[in-house]
Structure formats: C-alpha cells, structure tokens
Amino acid sequence: MKKIIIFALAALLCSFSLAGCSGDSEDGVPGKGTWQKTTVNYTAKNADGTEGDTTTLEVYLYYSDEAYTQNLRSDVTIAPGLTVIITASSDKQTSKLAQQLVGNKYVMKHYEKGASLNDDTAEEVEDKDGIFKMTVGDGSWRVIYTALLVSGNTVAQTETPEPIRKGRGYSPLAYDTEEIKKNLSWKRLLIALLES
C-alpha cells in the first residue's frame, strides 16, 4: 500500500513539474543541492534468481545542476547530476556486500543529468512501475525525494558525507567491478529506496 501511495504522489508531483519527469532544471525543487542520508535494507539476488543476502546500507544522495566542491577529499569529484554513495551501516554484518564494504569502504555512482536510470541494461530487474523510464532531472529527483520523505528515515546533511569528506579514512570501491556487480544491482537499490 505504501508503495502505491509513493508512486501516486510522485506521479502527481511530476505532473505539476513544468519540465515533466525527464526534467529540465527548474527553481524550487525540494532537496536539490543538499545531501540526503537514509538507511535501506538491500536484498541481493542470487544467480538462480532467488533472493540472497540482505545488507543494511547507509545511502547518501545528492542531486544538483552544479558540481559539489565543499570539503571533498582530493581524489573525489562530484559532477552535476545525481550522485549515490553507499556504505555498510555496520562492520558486523555478514552479507557478501557488507563484507566488501567492511573497514570504511564505499561505492559511489554518478548519473549525469539527462542520463537514463536504466543505464545498465545488462541488469535484469523487473520494472513493473516504470521507474527506469525516468531520466535524471528535476522530475525524477522529485520522485526519489518524495519516496525518501515518505520513508521517514531520511536526514538532510549539513556537512559533506563522511566517506568523501577531507581527512577521513575511507577507501573507494569501483561500482562497475565484477565483484561489486555480483552483490549490488543499482536498479534494485533504487527500487529499495523507492519502496522503503
């Protein structure tokens, strides 16, 4: 039921957007230009199609028309568009994904403005709600931000997220390596964020 309410509300917000869900920039978009942090239970999918390990992830999201440059580590660049960063919420988790993220590791993925959220067509994920027909823009950010608000466990960050903040001891993992791809589907993560 919650999922139906989220998508109905998101569709309503998109219908009021001057640019629609493929979204050109427009002023007054809630949450735009501010890091959002949420916790999500992400369930991987096994090779045979059954549900695999569940990992509790801390997820940071940032959407803006401008690059983010505040207090970043020297090896990090945040370009305009949508940036998603994940870390494991605890080193005590036993899932395969959590074990990859243990010891202050993070994975970051960036979607340029106008890019499709369906950028990895090799990932086979059922999309009965049409999530991946959206492109990154103000309209799609409204959908994501609305889902985050409805979840009730999202907090706007006043500082640069810990994993990418200057002086912190985090190490990046490449999002497109085979090991990460075995345990993390970005499509499934986006669905988990919208359904949480």
Side-chain angles (χ1 to χ4, degrees):
M1 183 64 153
K2 184 178 179 183
K3 180 178 157 186
I4 294 169
I5 293 169
I6 288 171
F7 285 108
L9 185 56
L12 182 63
L13 284 173
C14 282
S15 70
F16 288 122
S17 168
L18 295 176
C21 274
S22 59
D24 293 330
S25 177
E26 60 186 50
D27 296 332
V29 177
K32 186 175 180 179
T34 304
W35 284 99
Q36 307 295 322
K37 179 184 178 185
T38 190
T39 303
V40 66
N41 289 322
Y42 170 79
T43 303
K45 192 172 187 180
N46 294 322
D48 64 2
T50 61
E51 287 196 351
D53 295 337
T54 296
T55 309
T56 302
L57 299 173
E58 288 183 352
V59 182
Y60 301 88
L61 299 107
Y62 184 78
Y63 169 69
S64 179
D65 294 332
E66 299 177 14
Y68 184 86
T69 58
Q70 300 171 21
N71 205 17
L72 287 176
R73 294 168 26 163
S74 61
D75 61 338
V76 175
T77 303
I78 305 295
L82 174 64
T83 300
V84 183
I85 298 172
I86 65 161
T87 62
S89 69
S90 163
D91 284 348
K92 295 177 181 160
Q93 297 183 73
T94 59
S95 74
K96 292 173 187 171
L97 180 57
Q99 290 306 307
Q100 289 175 287
L101 295 170
V102 75
N104 289 344
K105 293 195 176 63
Y106 71 93
V107 180
M108 180 170 74
K109 181 159 183 174
H110 179 75
Y111 297 89
E112 291 180 4
K113 193 160 186 182
S116 172
L117 289 174
N118 192 27
D119 68 338
D120 189 347
T121 54
E123 289 185 14
E124 293 183 23
V125 176
E126 186 176 349
D127 187 23
K128 58 182 178 246
D129 299 305
I131 293 168
F132 303 117
K133 292 178 182 168
M134 292 190 294
T135 58
V136 174
D138 290 347
S140 60
W141 174 249
R142 287 177 195 264
V143 173
I144 294 167
Y145 184 75
T146 301
L148 295 173
L149 280 181
V150 171
S151 76
N153 70 350
T154 302
V155 178
Q157 300 287 285
T158 56
E159 293 186 84
T160 302
E162 188 81 12
I164 59 171
R165 193 181 314 162
K166 190 183 294 183
R168 299 303 194 263
Y170 280 79
S171 304
L173 297 173
Y175 75 86
D176 57 355
T177 63
E178 284 307 312
E179 276 307 302
I180 292 294
K181 283 183 170 183
K182 282 181 192 173
N183 302 308
L184 175 65
S185 157
W186 291 95
K187 291 180 183 179
R188 289 177 68 85
L189 178 63
L190 285 170
I191 290 171
L193 284 168
L194 293 172
E195 291 182 341
S196 63

